[in-house]
Structure formats: structure tokens, C-alpha cells
């Protein structure tokens, strides 16, 4: 299958230059490889079947991605994709369930679902388009905006510290926690493939600077770095320390944590 | 009219503190009476706490059909001292007051009572068994092939969750209790999208939390059954007491306009039939279906021929037009946005209009279907110009009260609240003296009838103290109004 087969005829309406387009390309590449190669193997007997792939999305700029993907899709309400993802996976465990969400979508509106899906280790993959701002509503602070963020609803600066999303996921029981940078298409593709291949709840934070309402491209460009391949992925404490490292100086990318645990859906049918 | 003259109907009250086993003992007595062929109606009244407080189970039994329990007691079983004091004004002259007895001793006394009244303990082999509305509803869902039930505990809907959870099998029914009601309904929509039959349930407060996703089910045309059991509101209200104040909320639920079905069963038998019917209707018409219950129907027990219900020809209707992910060469897209037939977002005026109309075509199909359904039920003297109209669990006290009416009256039960069968209702009410009986302050059914048929109902009997109607009190009021 060609990558173009995954595209619809819909005109892309993200801002020209928005890193969301890079995330879309990364995903199409990831899937194109996984449906054509024998290497991807979740159940150890077959590759990813395109008819079994379902892309969920929430509401926010990220959510437009459903219209650009010629695959099964479910565009949920704002913040509510995660329970729907678990529902679909429970109903048909043969499905490969991925979700696109934003930091506003899943760290504000639907944060309870995020925490509980990680807790129950639902076998779904969640890709967070992390732009640290509410963009589709034209620029307000959100759960991941830095304190002091000046948006339309906080003209004098936001009053709250942001979540550390990766730390939150590690604490909640996610069995795959990673971060990537939208500008690094190959890196994002690799992480997405690893997340989809992982059996259990995969959380991928994709740093996606909003070029219109919170342009952090320069900030991140100089700070992101990939952690070494030798990083021990099964050590929760080490993972927590690593994701805590997100400082003014450097922002680590890579897979911080990956362990195998029974999934919710496996337990359901046991 | 004097209830104590009810010669062939007997009533037992069992009272005690929460934790004393009032409900268990009451239901055991009910089961025993049921097994030996009595018709029974059993009510359960309890406050929202786990220990202490006064719990009271009351059951009326007779050789003939009993629709509701009565206030006046032939036997009062006291599991604590307070019970005798609380219920002293409810005991009939010569009633038996049982105190300080063990469970087996209580049962022995009841057998003795039966023998004094001339009943032979083994005289009938009953086909009846005691069942509450929630369990009957859940059995209906099961009978129509329910695959998933998703719920978050909230009185008085919780026993649906409990019953179905106990019926799970490895490859069959699955029950999930997620983090909250919003997760409940969104999880259910994911299940529905993937092609499995799913129902959710809650009290109306929980359903209030589900509103946005209920609307999503309408927009995305995802099949979904929602059980909504009313309790005294607003807000947390009186959690363990009943109400019929959410009729308007149920029929108008979800923002925006989209077709939906709302049905209100009046007894456990109807709860079974409507539970099964709801699953097939949602599957067939791709509209969300609400089954409106209330605390009384949800938790009170009635003697029902359960075998007849189980063996009923409940079909699992299939719908060949539905598409699910996992099918080769097929892309299935659903979305909460307005969308075209392929599930792609649209916002052009002509597309929006076309899609709204597409969804409302289903309303005309449903209207056709309604011709074959018991959207209303009529009891009593169908020729009478004196007519009572009601919905839901109010059926019970009204049909029981009818035994005490001074003249025969026509009784009209509205089963389908949305879509409203204006034609049938108008036929039954036009030109009649009508009293609307309902468990709310606003007269919501009366106003709905008026809105849909133009018939003004000025005479209403409304109860909004959270307690059930008493058949004797109701009969007295109705006799007076129709005198």
C-alpha cells in the first residue's frame, strides 16, 4: 500500500507550516510501513491489517486529522476519545486502536479518562499533539501551558503551574511512556510504531509548537535531545527521574518506560 | 371505603434498622408466599445510609392479582423496638405484632396466620416468582442479545449493574464500571461503533452527566440503550425515594435536534418487554433509546410469570445496513461533527440541511413502527367518559385503586413518551373527563398531552413528596373527583 492511499481528498486546513502536518506525515509513514512489512507483529502471526486500524480523535486542531486519513476513524467529543477507544478495543480486541488528542483535549477536558485508561492498561495508543495552548479556540492557557502564560483569558499571565504529563502517566500506570518532537518526522514515526506495537496503554507526548498562538519552535529546537538507546526502559524510578529532567536547559525525547503487564481487554476476556 | 374491609388482601410490614436484614427477611417472606401461589406486591423503603435509620418492607398478598401494596397491616414484624412505635397507627384491629423473633420463627407465625385465615399452605404450585423492575429490564436486555452493559453505581439504577455483572461469561456478556458516567456513555459509543450491542444505565443525575454524549449518539447514529431511573430531585435530592419529575428531561435530553425513542414501562413485565424491545429498536433505527424507570419500578417487587417472559419470542433483530470497523475494503468513519455520508466533516449550509433531514427520515420510519406497537395501553371500562391518564410506575397504584372505584373508569397508560402517539392518545382522551395522575409537581405528562394533542387537562393528581401513591388514598380522591 502506498502512503497516498491513506490520504483522503480533503483540503488540509491547519495553518500553513503547522507541525500537525508533520505528525500526519509521520503517522502515514508509520502505518504504511506496518501494513506492508512483516516486521510489525503484535500477535506474532500477522502484520497490521489496515481494516483493523481505527484512529480516534478528540476536539481541537489535532482532531481534523480524521478527515485526512482514509482509514476507520472515530472523532469523539472534546476530551472523550479515550473511553471510546477502550470501548472499541473491548468490543473487538482484533482492532488496533490509536488516538490523536491534544493537551487541552486530554489533560484538561478529559484528564480523568487519561488517568484511568493508564491505570487499567487499556491496549490502545494515545498520541498527544502537545502545543501547550488551546489553539482552536484562538489561544487560552491550558493544563500544559507554563505559569504566567499570557493568553486571551489570562492577559496578566496564567496563575497555575502546568502538569508534567509524562510524570502523570508514569504515576497512573501507563506501560509505555514516550516523547517525541513533531519536527522530527522519522523519530516520531519510530515512536508511533513502537507505541502501536506495544501491548498495553501507550502514551506519546508529541511536542507540536503552535505557530500561531504559542510559537515555541525556537525554544524546543535548541533543547530537545534523544535519550540513548541504552536507557533502561523497565525502571519506573529511572523513567520518573528522566521525565522530571524537563528543564529550561534540555527536553529529553525517546521511550522512557516500557513494561509488559496484562491489559484490561485481556483481563476482560480471561 | 375502608381498607380494613379488604377481605381477600393481606399486608405484612417488616421494620428494623438498616443492617438488621429487613429487606432479606421481607423478600424471603415474599418468596415463600409466592411459591405457594399468592400474588404479591412488595415495596421497599429505606434511607440513604448503610447502618441505622429505619428500613421498612411491606408486602400485600392475595389469591388475585395485586398491583400495589397497602398501608394497613395484618402483620407487623418488628426487628427493633422503634418499628412498633413508628407503625402503630397502620395496624388493623386484631393485627398480629411479632417482636423478638428469629427468621424461622417469623415464617412459622406467617404460616400460622395463613392457616387461621383458611389457606392451605401447599394448595397451589405457583408459576410466579418475585422480580423487581430493574432485574426484569436487565433480563429483557439479555434476551435481546446484549453484549455489553456499562454502568456507574447510582441509586436506583445500581441493581441493573449488579444483576448483569453476575451474568457475565467468558465469551458472552461483559459488564464494565468505568471512572464516571461520562466515561460510561463514551465507552458505550466506542463499543457500539465496533458493532456490539450495548446499554448503559444510571439515575437521572448520572444521565445528566451523559447529555453531550447522548447527543453524539444522535449525531453519529450509533445504537445505544440508556436506562434512566428517576429518583426525587433536583440535584442529589432524596436518593432512595422516587419521582416522575424527569419526563421532560428525558424526552428533551441531548442538545440539538435528533430523533430518539423514550419508553416508560409500568411494571416488571413491561420492563422486560421494553428492555428487549429497546435493544432491537436502537439497533434497527440507529437512534438512541431511553427506558425511563423510577425508584418504585426499579426496586419494588411483583409476582410475575418469569418463565413466560424468558420463553417469549424475543428476537435479536439484525440490521444489515450497519457497517463496522474490521471489515476488509471498508472504511467506517463516525464523528461528532456534522458530516456527510462518508463521515467527513461538512459545514456548507446545503450539506448541513441535507444531513439533518437524513437523520429525521428515521422519525418517519419510527412512526410507521409505532402503529404495530403498544404505544399506549387502555384498561378498565373503555367506554367510560371518566378517564385517568398516567405513565410509568403509577400504573401500579392506579390499577390497584381501580378495585376501589365507585364506578368503572377508563385507564390510559402512556408507554411511548417520545415519539408521542398523539393520534392514539387523542382518540382515548378527546371529549372525556380526564384526570392526569403523576409523581411530580409540574404535571409534566398533562402538559405533554396538551402540547401534542391540544387537549387541555385541568384536573391533575400530583405527588411530589418522593413517596409512592397509596391505592386507597388515590381511590378516595378519584371517587371524589368523579362523583
Amino acid at each position: 500500500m502506498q502512503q497516498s492511499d491513506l490520504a483522503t481528498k480533503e483540503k488540509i486546513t491547519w495553518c500553513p507550516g503547522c507541525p500537525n502536518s508533520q505528525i500526519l506525515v509521520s503517522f502515514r509513514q508509520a502505518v504504511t510501513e506496518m501494513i506492508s512489512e512483516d516486521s510489525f507483529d503484535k500477535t506474532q502471526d500477522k502484520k497490521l491489517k489496515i481494516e483493523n486500524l481505527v484512529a480516534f480523535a478528540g476536539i481541537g486542531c489535532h482532531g481534523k486529522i480524521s478527515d485526512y486519513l482514509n482509514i476507520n476513524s472515530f472523532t469523539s467529543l472534546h476530551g472523550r476519545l479515550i473511553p471510546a477507544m477502550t470501548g472499541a478495543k473491548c468490543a473487538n480486541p482484533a482492532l488496533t486502536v490509536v488516538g490523536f488528542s491534544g493537551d487541552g483535549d486530554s489533560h484538561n477536558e478529559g484528564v480523568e479518562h487519561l488517568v484511568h485508561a493508564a491505570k487499567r492498561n487499556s491496549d490502545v495508543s494515545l498520541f498527544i499533539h502537545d502545543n501547550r495552548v488551546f489553539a482552536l479556540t484562538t489561544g487560552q492557557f491550558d493544563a500544559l501551558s507554563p505559569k504566567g502564560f499570557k493568553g486571551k483569558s489570562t492577559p496578566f499571565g496564567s496563575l497555575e503551574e502546568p502538569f508534567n504529563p509524562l510524570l502523570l502517566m508514569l504515576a497512573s500506570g501507563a506501560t509505555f511512556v514516550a516523547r517525541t518532537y513533531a519536527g522530527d518526522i522519522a523519530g516520531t514515526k519510530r515512536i508511533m510504531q513502537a507505541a502501536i506495537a506495544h501491548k498495553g496503554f501507550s502514551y506519546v507526548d508529541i511536542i507540536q509548537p503552535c505557530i500561531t498562538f504559542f510559537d515555541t519552535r525556537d525554544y524546543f529546537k535548541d533543547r530537545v535531545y534523544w535519550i540513548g538507546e541504552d536507557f533502561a526502559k523497565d525502571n519506573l524510578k529511572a523513567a520518573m527521574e528522566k521525565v522530571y529532567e524537563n528543564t529550561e536547559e534540555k527536553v529529553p525525547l525517546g521511550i522512557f518506560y516500557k513494561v509488559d503487564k496484562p491489559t484490561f481487554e485481556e483481563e476482560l476476556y480471561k | 371505603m375502608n381498607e380494613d374491609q379488604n377481605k381477600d388482601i393481606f399486608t405484612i410490614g417488616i421494620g428494623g434498622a438498616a443492617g438488621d436484614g429487613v429487606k432479606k427477611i421481607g423478600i424471603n417472606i415474599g418468596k415463600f408466599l409466592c411459591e405457594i401461589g399468592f400474588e404479591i406486591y412488595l415495596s421497599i423503603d429505606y434511607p440513604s445510609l448503610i447502618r441505622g435509620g429505619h428500613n421498612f418492607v411491606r408486602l400485600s398478598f392475595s389469591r388475585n392479582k395485586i398491583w400495589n401494596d397497602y398501608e394497613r397491616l395484618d402483620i407487623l414484624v418488628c426487628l427493633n423496638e422503634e418499628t412498633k412505635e413508628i407503625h402503630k397507627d397502620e395496624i388493623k384491629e386484631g393485627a398480629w405484632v411479632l417482636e423478638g423473633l428469629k427468621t424461622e420463627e417469623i415464617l412459622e407465625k406467617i404460616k400460622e396466620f395463613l392457616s387461621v385465615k383458611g389457606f392451605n399452605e401447599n394448595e397451589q404450585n405457583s408459576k410466579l416468582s418475585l422480580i423487581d423492575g430493574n432485574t426484569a429490564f436487565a433480563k429483557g436486555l439479555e434476551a435481546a442479545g446484549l453484549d455489553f452493559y456499562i454502568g456507574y453505581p447510582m441509586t436506583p439504577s445500581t441493581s441493573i449493574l449488579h444483576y448483569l455483572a453476575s451474568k457475565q461469561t467468558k465469551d458472552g456478556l461483559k459488564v464494565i464500571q468505568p471512572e464516571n458516567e461520562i466515561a460510561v456513555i463514551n465507552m458505550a459509543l466506542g463499543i457500539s461503533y465496533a458493532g456490539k450491542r450495548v446499554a448503559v444505565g444510571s439515575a437521572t443525575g448520572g444521565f445528566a452527566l451523559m447529555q453531550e454524549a447522548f447527543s453524539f449518539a444522535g449525531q453519529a447514529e450509533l445504537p445505544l440503550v440508556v436506562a434512566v431511573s428517576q429518583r426525587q430531585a433536583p440535584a442529589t435530592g432524596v436518593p432512595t425515594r422516587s419521582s416522575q419529575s424527569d419526563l421532560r428531561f428525558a424526552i428533551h435530553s441531548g442538545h440539538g435536534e435528533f430523533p430518539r425513542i423514550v419508553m416508560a414501562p409500568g411494571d416488571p413485565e413491561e420492563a422486560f418487554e421494553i428492555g428487549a424491545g429497546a435493544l432491537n429498536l436502537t439497533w434497527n433505527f440507529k437512534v438512541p433509546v431511553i427506558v425511563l424507570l423510577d425508584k418504585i419500578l426499579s426496586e419494588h417487587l411483583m409476582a410475575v410469570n418469569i418463565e413466560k417472559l424468558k420463553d417469549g419470542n424475543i428476537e435479536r433483530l439484525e440490521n444489515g445496513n450497519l457497517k463496522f470497523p474490521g471489515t476488509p475494503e471498508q472504511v467506517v468513519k463516525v464523528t461528532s461533527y456534522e458530516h456527510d455520508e462518508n463521515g467527513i466533516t461538512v459545514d456548507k449550509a446545503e450539506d448541513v440541511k441535507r444531513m439533518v433531514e437524513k437523520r429525521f427520515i428515521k422519525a418517519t420510519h419510527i412512526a410507521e413502527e409505532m402503529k404495530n406497537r403498544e404505544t399506549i395501553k387502555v384498561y378498565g371500562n373503555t367506554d367510560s367518559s371518566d378517564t385517568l391518564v398516567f405513565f410509568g410506575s403509577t400504573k401500579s397504584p392506579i390499577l390497584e385503586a381501580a378495585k376501589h372505584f365507585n364506578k368503572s373508569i377508563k385507564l390510559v397508560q402512556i408507554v411511548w413518551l417520545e415519539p408521542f402517539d398523539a393520534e392514539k392518545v387523542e382518540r382515548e382522551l378527546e371529549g372525556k373527563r380526564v384526570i392526569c395522575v403523576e409523581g411530580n409537581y409540574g404535571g409534566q405528562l398533562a402538559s405533554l398531552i396538551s402540547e401534542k394533542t391540544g387537549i387541555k387537562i385541568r384536573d391533575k393528581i400530583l405527588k411530589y413528596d418522593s413517596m409512592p401513591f397509596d391505592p386507597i388514598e388515590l381511590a378516595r380522591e378519584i371517587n371524589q373527583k368523579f362523583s
Side-chain angles (χ1 to χ4, degrees):
Chain A
M1 181 176 268
Q2 296 299 306
Q3 200 184 311
S4 59
D5 293 341
L6 296 177
T8 61
K9 295 190 178 100
E10 295 312 298
K11 191 173 158 235
I12 289 186
T13 57
W14 285 316
C15 303
C18 174
N20 271 325
S21 292
Q22 295 167 308
I23 295 174
L24 174 63
V25 170
S26 299
F27 182 70
R28 283 187 187 149
Q29 284 183 2
V31 172
T32 303
E33 287 179 15
M34 291 172 93
I35 55 180
S36 51
E37 275 176 22
D38 294 329
S39 59
F40 170 65
D41 187 39
K42 228 172 175 181
T43 55
Q44 306 191 352
D45 56 6
K46 46 188 178 236
K47 61 188 177 186
L48 175 62
K49 285 184 179 165
I50 193 70
E51 67 266 26
N52 285 345
L53 181 62
V54 188
F56 284 71
I59 302 297
C61 287
H62 76 272
K64 291 169 182 277
I65 202 165
S66 308
D67 280 353
Y68 311 143
L69 287 168
N70 188 29
I71 60 173
N72 298 314
S73 68
F74 183 112
T75 308
S76 79
L77 297 163
H78 182 46
R80 310 302 173 195
L81 77 164
I82 298 172
M85 289 164 72
T86 297
K89 184 70 185 176
C90 288
N92 182 359
L95 297 178
T96 299
V97 177
V98 302
F100 297 94
S101 183
D103 42 325
D105 197 50
S106 278
H107 282 279
N108 282 75
E109 187 72 46
V111 69
E112 76 271 37
H113 310 309
L114 177 65
V115 168
H116 280 266
K119 170 180 173 286
R120 63 174 70 99
N121 196 31
S122 183
D123 186 14
V124 300
S125 307
L126 187 69
F127 306 136
I128 298 288
H129 299 221
D130 176 6
N131 57 10
R132 310 191 175 190
V133 67
F134 281 121
L136 192 58
T137 51
T138 71
Q140 299 84 15
F141 88 106
D142 78 4
L144 303 189
S145 305
K147 186 176 180 183
F149 177 86
K150 287 187 178 166
K152 289 174 182 162
S153 64
T154 52
F156 311 111
S158 65
L159 309 179
E160 305 170 30
E161 291 285 349
F163 278 129
N164 179 323
L166 302 180
L167 201 55
L168 176 68
M169 284 295 90
L170 288 169
S172 303
T175 51
F176 181 104
V177 175
R179 178 159 50 209
T180 177
Y181 184 61
D184 185 341
I185 290 176
T188 301
K189 179 199 75 179
R190 236 182 11 253
I191 296 275
M192 282 178 165
Q193 289 178 332
I196 294 170
H198 175 72
K199 191 166 64 66
F201 187 73
S202 323
Y203 177 91
V204 180
D205 180 48
I206 307 174
I207 296 171
Q208 175 246 322
C210 174
I211 59 173
T212 303
F213 296 108
F214 191 22
D215 194 349
T216 53
R217 279 175 294 183
D218 287 342
Y219 176 89
F220 281 112
K221 200 175 61 197
D222 300 336
R223 286 171 174 81
V224 293
Y225 76 98
W226 288 94
I227 57 171
E229 275 304 311
D230 55 344
F231 185 82
K233 297 179 178 61
D234 58 352
N235 186 330
L236 184 61
K237 197 166 169 234
M240 285 183 158
E241 276 169 13
K242 186 47 90 178
V243 304
Y244 203 69
E245 189 188 289
N246 185 12
T247 63
E248 283 301 305
E249 287 76 37
K250 45 189 181 173
V251 178
L253 306 176
I255 300 169
F256 304 105
Y257 192 59
K258 183 185 180 326
V259 291
D260 286 330
K261 276 186 189 166
T263 69
F264 179 72
E265 295 78 12
E266 282 174 341
E267 295 288 320
L268 187 68
Y269 285 97
K270 213 157 81 179
Chain B
M1 181 177 40
N2 182 349
E3 190 191 329
D4 294 1
Q5 289 163 0
N6 252 341
K7 290 299 179 210
D8 59 344
I9 300 170
F10 304 96
T11 301
I12 305 174
I14 304 106
D20 280 350
V22 175
K23 186 176 169 186
K24 198 172 164 216
I25 293 170
I27 289 175
N28 277 340
I29 295 170
K31 277 183 179 164
F32 163 71
L33 291 167
C34 196
E35 275 163 22
I36 59 171
F38 285 102
E39 293 274 358
I40 291 158
Y41 185 95
L42 185 152
S43 71
I44 300 170
D45 182 55
Y46 60 101
S48 182
L49 43 74
I50 302 300
R51 284 267 165 199
H54 185 64
N55 283 14
F56 194 58
V57 165
R58 194 169 64 190
L59 64 101
S60 291
F61 64 98
S62 172
R63 283 297 184 206
N64 303 311
K65 179 71 187 174
I66 284 271
W67 289 100
N68 206 94
D69 58 322
Y70 286 86
E71 188 184 328
R72 306 278 292 162
L73 304 172
D74 296 276
I75 301 176
L76 175 63
V77 180
C78 307
L79 300 181
N80 65 1
E81 287 192 9
E82 190 192 37
T83 298
K84 196 175 166 185
E85 181 56 30
I86 293 172
H87 299 281
K88 66 176 190 300
D89 296 333
E90 296 156 20
I91 54 176
K92 294 180 187 173
E93 204 181 317
W96 295 20
V97 179
L98 311 179
E99 291 175 277
L101 298 183
K102 295 198 182 81
T103 310
E104 314 83 66
E105 295 169 329
I106 295 167
L107 217 52
E108 283 310 310
K109 279 283 176 194
I110 286 165
K111 286 176 188 171
E112 198 182 317
F113 177 85
L114 292 176
S115 132
V116 168
K117 295 291 172 187
F119 293 108
N120 178 350
E121 195 186 308
N122 295 316
E123 77 188 74
Q124 281 186 29
N125 188 10
S126 179
K127 288 198 173 91
L128 303 180
S129 57
L130 273 184
I131 191 163
D132 60 80
N134 275 357
T135 308
F137 165 75
K139 282 178 184 287
L141 291 176
E142 268 186 299
L146 185 72
D147 297 310
F148 281 85
Y149 182 78
I150 317 296
Y152 183 88
M154 186 170 183
T155 306
S157 68
T158 314
S159 58
I160 303 171
L161 175 65
H162 291 176
Y163 171 80
L164 290 171
S166 76
K167 294 293 171 186
Q168 294 179 95
T169 59
K170 188 175 183 296
D171 299 310
L173 176 69
K174 296 294 175 192
V175 174
I176 303 172
Q177 180 195 309
E179 57 273 20
N180 57 30
E181 288 89 346
I182 296 174
V184 163
I185 186 165
N186 285 285
M187 189 175 280
L189 294 180
I191 289 166
S192 184
Y193 167 68
K196 291 292 166 71
R197 282 166 198 244
V198 59
V200 303
S202 189
T204 319
F207 182 50
L209 287 167
M210 300 182 190
Q211 289 304 294
E212 191 189 22
F214 185 79
S215 174
F216 180 17
Q219 170 71 287
E221 305 187 52
L222 290 166
L224 176 71
V225 171
V226 186
V228 179
S229 187
Q230 302 164 93
R231 67 191 211 187
Q232 179 65 23
T236 309
V238 189
T240 60
R241 300 262 158 73
S242 202
S243 173
Q244 292 189 306
S245 58
D246 300 323
L247 186 165
R248 282 286 186 181
F249 180 76
I251 63 173
H252 297 303
S253 48
H255 56 297
E257 297 172 298
F258 55 93
R260 80 287 303 276
I261 296 171
V262 182
M263 297 178 288
D267 60 37
E269 210 160 307
E270 289 175 4
F272 176 88
E273 288 163 359
I274 286 175
L279 204 55
N280 282 330
L281 284 166
T282 194
W283 201 252
N284 200 8
F285 293 106
K286 297 196 291 173
V287 299
V289 177
I290 295 173
V291 179
L292 188 64
L293 309 161
D294 60 43
K295 186 266 175 185
I296 295 169
L297 175 57
S298 283
E299 297 193 347
H300 292 188
L301 294 97
M302 195 186 269
V304 169
N305 185 342
I306 196 68
E307 290 312 313
K308 193 188 86 190
L309 294 186
K310 275 190 194 162
D311 297 342
N313 292 317
I314 305 295
E315 286 176 81
R316 178 182 163 130
L317 284 182
E318 299 298 340
N319 183 342
N321 297 325
L322 295 179
K323 295 196 297 178
F324 308 113
T327 316
E329 307 298 319
Q330 209 167 66
V331 172
V332 185
K333 295 176 100 68
V334 303
T335 170
S336 66
Y337 281 105
E338 188 56 274
H339 51 277
D340 65 15
E341 289 81 352
N342 298 317
I344 298 290
T345 311
V346 295
D347 62 3
K348 285 202 186 82
E350 69 261 28
D351 290 333
V352 173
K353 183 167 182 279
R354 180 170 53 85
M355 294 311 289
V356 170
E357 287 166 356
K358 173 190 175 268
R359 285 190 293 275
F360 272 102
I361 285 171
K362 296 184 292 187
T364 60
H365 297 153
I366 294 166
E368 269 309 301
E369 177 71 19
M370 287 168 75
K371 290 179 183 165
N372 311 320
R373 300 263 175 174
E374 279 190 299
T375 54
I376 68 167
K377 289 185 175 186
V378 184
Y379 313 89
N381 179 1
T382 52
D383 296 329
S384 173
S385 64
D386 294 332
T387 304
L388 295 178
V389 64
F390 52 91
F391 76 103
S393 72
T394 305
K395 175 184 178 180
S396 263
I398 286 184
L399 263 60
E400 195 59 36
K403 295 175 182 171
H404 311 281
F405 290 163
N406 291 340
K407 55 171 151 179
S408 53
I409 293 170
K410 175 153 83 173
L411 313 173
V412 180
Q413 177 192 3
I414 312 293
V415 182
W416 282 51
L417 297 163
E418 173 64 36
F420 192 85
D421 203 331
E423 204 184 307
K424 283 188 208 164
V425 174
E426 202 177 332
R427 204 182 306 145
E428 298 299 338
L429 303 188
E430 186 73 73
K432 311 287 186 214
R433 275 211 296 184
V434 181
I435 303 174
C436 189
V437 186
E438 47 186 317
N440 58 52
Y441 180 83
Q444 296 183 22
L445 180 64
S447 82
L448 183 64
I449 292 169
S450 174
E451 176 193 319
K452 300 288 185 179
T453 66
I455 298 170
K456 290 265 180 292
I457 299 177
R458 289 185 183 82
D459 225 342
K460 286 169 256 185
I461 298 176
L462 305 174
K463 192 164 171 67
Y464 40 88
D465 64 355
S466 81
M467 299 303 279
F469 282 103
D470 176 68
I472 294 293
E473 231 174 82
L474 199 54
R476 198 173 287 136
E477 200 169 345
I478 288 163
N479 284 336
Q480 203 174 16
K481 282 182 184 285
F482 281 142
S483 62

